[in-house]
Amino acid sequence: MSDLIGIPIDIEGLIDYQKDAVVSMEIVKKEVGTVTIFAFDKGQGLSEHSAPFDAMVQIVDGEAEITLAGEPHTVSKGEILIMPANVPHALQAVNGPYKMILTMIKSE
């Protein structure tokens, strides 16, 4: 992580897709939150779960299907979705692979 500080970074090129896999790289890890980039191959996802903190998903390549409290949303490159704490959500690469940045805020 320290080699990323203070320099411009090509977000899309920071992490590569892997066949039939979900790849992640933690960019920032602090007591108050984290920033993680993910690459999901087509058909890959995260099953429904909830987190005790608010989170923001930013799509940086492709599009994701994100189900939030049972309601599906298509979120595309350049868009964000804010997921409130303790609300069930799931993420899926339906139409192709996608990359996203997950920002988790651990304070109120």
Side-chain angles (χ1 to χ4, degrees):
M1 287 187 307
S2 63
D3 57 334
L4 302 177
I5 296 173
I7 60 169
I9 300 167
D10 170 21
I11 285 293
E12 285 185 54
L14 190 58
I15 193 169
D16 293 321
Y17 293 110
Q18 290 185 15
K19 185 167 176 50
D20 299 324
V22 176
V23 181
S24 67
M25 172 192 280
E26 199 167 61
I27 299 171
V28 175
K29 183 177 183 178
K30 301 286 182 180
E31 188 174 319
V32 295
T34 59
V35 178
T36 307
I37 187 165
F38 289 85
F40 291 78
D41 195 18
K42 183 177 181 179
Q44 299 300 306
L46 298 177
S47 60
E48 187 174 71
H49 62 284
S50 61
F53 309 108
D54 291 342
M56 182 183 78
V57 170
Q58 176 186 1
I59 305 300
V60 296
D61 185 38
E63 67 179 23
E65 180 178 278
I66 302 175
T67 303
L68 182 61
E71 183 178 344
H73 301 275
T74 299
V75 186
S76 301
K77 180 178 179 174
E79 296 181 327
I80 65 169
L81 181 70
I82 297 172
M83 302 182 298
N86 303 310
V87 174
H89 55 274
L91 301 95
Q92 188 72 30
V94 176
N95 298 320
Y98 75 93
K99 294 180 184 179
M100 71 174 209
I101 297 172
L102 176 67
T103 303
M104 179 88 63
I105 306 299
K106 295 183 178 182
S107 63
E108 299 188 27

